Amino acid sequence: MARISNISRETKETSIQARLNLGGGEVRVDTGIGFLDHMLHAMAFYAGFGLDLTARGDLNVDGHHTVEDTGIVLGQAIREALGDKRGIRRFGSAYVPMDEALAFTSLDFSGRAFLVFDADMPQERLGDYDSCLTEEFMRALAFNGGITLHQRGVYGKNAHHITEALFKSLGLAMKDAVRVEGQEVTSTKGVL
């Protein structure tokens, strides 16, 4: 199975196009927010995904719409690429240390969207990126991808390190969860 998706989303606030290949490939990200590009590149790299994503948003206002809508599009792309989820492992989790910071992600491609996010950000800004937007991105990703997503910044003093550890642990957890291990749907109900 190909496990590839192409998603476009146009609103009055943003225009986003994404091509996702769960089997791998090049990673190219351009959102107009350098720190977000860095995080998405790291996430895709550690997930083993191929990702080509371009976003144009109302950055003259702030980064909120661009970050949230990018999460929406990426969640939709993951959901489409997984199809009926036949054979995937479904669950994944990972700890990632980043210098003084440690982050944890646990997720389930259950089709039941939920987010538990517990990560304090000691600094409010990371370049042109408001650190509070990490939770907005994760919420949009989870609810549009049908993912039960739990994330925790276990500890840390640098918001850059905490955020990067969250995105990298997300990538590693997704890599585990989308791995094909059989031919059946991994559910006692028989459907996800």
mmCIF file of all heavy atoms in Angstrom, residues 98-101 120-123 126 155-164:
data_model
loop_
_atom_site.group_PDB
_atom_site.id
_atom_site.type_symbol
_atom_site.label_atom_id
_atom_site.label_comp_id
_atom_site.label_asym_id
_atom_site.label_seq_id
_atom_site.Cartn_x
_atom_site.Cartn_y
_atom_site.Cartn_z
ATOM 1 N N MET A 98 16.808 16.489 25.543
ATOM 2 C CA MET A 98 17.431 17.551 24.741
ATOM 3 C C MET A 98 18.155 18.451 25.728
ATOM 4 O O MET A 98 17.536 19.282 26.400
ATOM 5 C CB MET A 98 16.352 18.311 23.970
ATOM 6 C CG MET A 98 16.851 19.429 23.111
ATOM 7 S SD MET A 98 17.368 18.811 21.522
ATOM 8 C CE MET A 98 18.009 20.318 20.816
ATOM 9 N N ASP A 99 19.448 18.224 25.878
ATOM 10 C CA ASP A 99 20.251 18.922 26.875
ATOM 11 C C ASP A 99 19.600 18.777 28.260
ATOM 12 O O ASP A 99 19.407 17.669 28.728
ATOM 13 C CB ASP A 99 20.483 20.377 26.476
ATOM 14 C CG ASP A 99 21.308 20.494 25.193
ATOM 15 O OD1 ASP A 99 21.932 19.497 24.791
ATOM 16 O OD2 ASP A 99 21.327 21.569 24.588
ATOM 17 N N GLU A 100 19.191 19.884 28.894
ATOM 18 C CA GLU A 100 18.633 19.815 30.252
ATOM 19 C C GLU A 100 17.166 19.402 30.273
ATOM 20 O O GLU A 100 16.594 19.172 31.340
ATOM 21 C CB GLU A 100 18.798 21.173 30.959
ATOM 22 C CG GLU A 100 17.687 22.179 30.746
ATOM 23 C CD GLU A 100 17.425 22.630 29.307
ATOM 24 O OE1 GLU A 100 18.287 22.465 28.436
ATOM 25 O OE2 GLU A 100 16.325 23.142 29.051
ATOM 26 N N ALA A 101 16.543 19.302 29.101
ATOM 27 C CA ALA A 101 15.101 19.033 29.009
ATOM 28 C C ALA A 101 14.834 17.558 28.693
ATOM 29 O O ALA A 101 15.634 16.892 28.034
ATOM 30 C CB ALA A 101 14.472 19.913 27.936
ATOM 31 N N ASP A 120 5.325 23.091 30.581
ATOM 32 C CA ASP A 120 5.556 24.497 30.881
ATOM 33 C C ASP A 120 6.655 25.033 29.980
ATOM 34 O O ASP A 120 7.651 24.346 29.731
ATOM 35 C CB ASP A 120 5.975 24.664 32.346
ATOM 36 C CG ASP A 120 4.850 24.327 33.307
ATOM 37 O OD1 ASP A 120 3.674 24.550 32.944
ATOM 38 O OD2 ASP A 120 5.142 23.839 34.416
ATOM 39 N N MET A 121 6.458 26.246 29.504
ATOM 40 C CA MET A 121 7.439 26.900 28.640
ATOM 41 C C MET A 121 8.022 28.099 29.381
ATOM 42 O O MET A 121 7.340 29.115 29.559
ATOM 43 C CB MET A 121 6.775 27.349 27.330
ATOM 44 C CG MET A 121 6.236 26.220 26.488
ATOM 45 S SD MET A 121 7.555 25.176 25.856
ATOM 46 C CE MET A 121 6.600 23.811 25.210
ATOM 47 N N PRO A 122 9.270 27.991 29.830
ATOM 48 C CA PRO A 122 9.874 29.081 30.601
ATOM 49 C C PRO A 122 10.025 30.388 29.831
ATOM 50 O O PRO A 122 9.998 31.458 30.438
ATOM 51 C CB PRO A 122 11.244 28.528 30.994
ATOM 52 C CG PRO A 122 11.115 27.046 30.879
ATOM 53 C CD PRO A 122 10.125 26.812 29.791
ATOM 54 N N GLN A 123 10.198 30.320 28.504
ATOM 55 C CA GLN A 123 10.303 31.533 27.685
ATOM 56 C C GLN A 123 9.079 31.616 26.771
ATOM 57 O O GLN A 123 8.631 30.607 26.229
ATOM 58 C CB GLN A 123 11.587 31.529 26.838
ATOM 59 C CG GLN A 123 12.873 31.599 27.656
ATOM 60 C CD GLN A 123 13.299 30.258 28.222
ATOM 61 O OE1 GLN A 123 13.143 29.230 27.590
ATOM 62 N NE2 GLN A 123 13.815 30.265 29.453
ATOM 63 N N LEU A 126 10.212 32.093 20.903
ATOM 64 C CA LEU A 126 11.334 31.373 20.307
ATOM 65 C C LEU A 126 11.476 31.910 18.888
ATOM 66 O O LEU A 126 10.810 31.443 17.969
ATOM 67 C CB LEU A 126 11.066 29.867 20.302
ATOM 68 C CG LEU A 126 10.782 29.257 21.677
ATOM 69 C CD1 LEU A 126 10.141 27.896 21.552
ATOM 70 C CD2 LEU A 126 12.044 29.197 22.491
ATOM 71 N N TYR A 155 10.740 17.863 32.387
ATOM 72 C CA TYR A 155 11.443 18.979 33.009
ATOM 73 C C TYR A 155 12.285 19.683 31.961
ATOM 74 O O TYR A 155 12.453 19.184 30.852
ATOM 75 C CB TYR A 155 12.309 18.543 34.202
ATOM 76 C CG TYR A 155 13.203 17.349 33.947
ATOM 77 C CD1 TYR A 155 14.381 17.465 33.204
ATOM 78 C CD2 TYR A 155 12.875 16.103 34.466
ATOM 79 C CE1 TYR A 155 15.197 16.362 32.977
ATOM 80 C CE2 TYR A 155 13.688 15.007 34.245
ATOM 81 C CZ TYR A 155 14.852 15.138 33.505
ATOM 82 O OH TYR A 155 15.657 14.055 33.283
ATOM 83 N N GLY A 156 12.768 20.851 32.317
ATOM 84 C CA GLY A 156 13.616 21.627 31.424
ATOM 85 C C GLY A 156 13.554 23.095 31.785
ATOM 86 O O GLY A 156 12.604 23.554 32.426
ATOM 87 N N LYS A 157 14.575 23.835 31.358
ATOM 88 C CA LYS A 157 14.652 25.261 31.636
ATOM 89 C C LYS A 157 14.650 26.111 30.381
ATOM 90 O O LYS A 157 14.532 27.320 30.460
ATOM 91 C CB LYS A 157 15.925 25.555 32.444
ATOM 92 C CG LYS A 157 15.937 24.916 33.815
ATOM 93 C CD LYS A 157 17.207 25.221 34.559
ATOM 94 C CE LYS A 157 17.173 24.533 35.918
ATOM 95 N NZ LYS A 157 18.434 24.725 36.640
ATOM 96 N N ASN A 158 14.785 25.476 29.226
ATOM 97 C CA ASN A 158 14.890 26.189 27.968
ATOM 98 C C ASN A 158 13.723 25.772 27.069
ATOM 99 O O ASN A 158 13.607 24.605 26.697
ATOM 100 C CB ASN A 158 16.241 25.853 27.315
ATOM 101 C CG ASN A 158 16.477 26.579 26.022
ATOM 102 O OD1 ASN A 158 15.644 26.542 25.132
ATOM 103 N ND2 ASN A 158 17.621 27.231 25.911
ATOM 104 N N ALA A 159 12.866 26.727 26.735
ATOM 105 C CA ALA A 159 11.664 26.409 25.950
ATOM 106 C C ALA A 159 11.998 25.830 24.580
ATOM 107 O O ALA A 159 11.251 25.009 24.053
ATOM 108 C CB ALA A 159 10.788 27.650 25.802
ATOM 109 N N HIS A 160 13.113 26.249 23.995
ATOM 110 C CA HIS A 160 13.534 25.673 22.710
ATOM 111 C C HIS A 160 13.797 24.182 22.881
ATOM 112 O O HIS A 160 13.302 23.354 22.100
ATOM 113 C CB HIS A 160 14.798 26.388 22.209
ATOM 114 C CG HIS A 160 15.282 25.927 20.864
ATOM 115 N ND1 HIS A 160 15.605 26.784 19.857
ATOM 116 C CD2 HIS A 160 15.485 24.683 20.356
ATOM 117 C CE1 HIS A 160 16.007 26.096 18.789
ATOM 118 N NE2 HIS A 160 15.947 24.818 19.078
ATOM 119 N N HIS A 161 14.543 23.820 23.902
ATOM 120 C CA HIS A 161 14.866 22.414 24.128
ATOM 121 C C HIS A 161 13.623 21.597 24.464
ATOM 122 O O HIS A 161 13.467 20.471 23.981
ATOM 123 C CB HIS A 161 15.893 22.286 25.260
ATOM 124 C CG HIS A 161 17.205 22.921 24.959
ATOM 125 N ND1 HIS A 161 18.089 23.299 25.941
ATOM 126 C CD2 HIS A 161 17.792 23.254 23.774
ATOM 127 C CE1 HIS A 161 19.163 23.823 25.383
ATOM 128 N NE2 HIS A 161 19.014 23.824 24.071
ATOM 129 N N ILE A 162 12.756 22.145 25.287
ATOM 130 C CA ILE A 162 11.522 21.440 25.653
ATOM 131 C C ILE A 162 10.669 21.187 24.414
ATOM 132 O O ILE A 162 10.195 20.077 24.173
ATOM 133 C CB ILE A 162 10.723 22.243 26.704
ATOM 134 C CG1 ILE A 162 11.509 22.334 28.021
ATOM 135 C CG2 ILE A 162 9.339 21.628 26.937
ATOM 136 C CD1 ILE A 162 10.991 23.396 28.985
ATOM 137 N N THR A 163 10.482 22.235 23.608
ATOM 138 C CA THR A 163 9.647 22.120 22.405
ATOM 139 C C THR A 163 10.250 21.139 21.412
ATOM 140 O O THR A 163 9.543 20.297 20.843
ATOM 141 C CB THR A 163 9.454 23.504 21.760
ATOM 142 O OG1 THR A 163 8.919 24.396 22.736
ATOM 143 C CG2 THR A 163 8.518 23.427 20.569
ATOM 144 N N GLU A 164 11.547 21.239 21.207
ATOM 145 C CA GLU A 164 12.194 20.329 20.256
ATOM 146 C C GLU A 164 12.090 18.884 20.722
ATOM 147 O O GLU A 164 11.846 17.978 19.923
ATOM 148 C CB GLU A 164 13.653 20.728 20.048
ATOM 149 C CG GLU A 164 14.293 19.994 18.902
ATOM 150 C CD GLU A 164 15.555 20.652 18.385
ATOM 151 O OE1 GLU A 164 15.839 21.821 18.724
ATOM 152 O OE2 GLU A 164 16.271 19.978 17.611
#
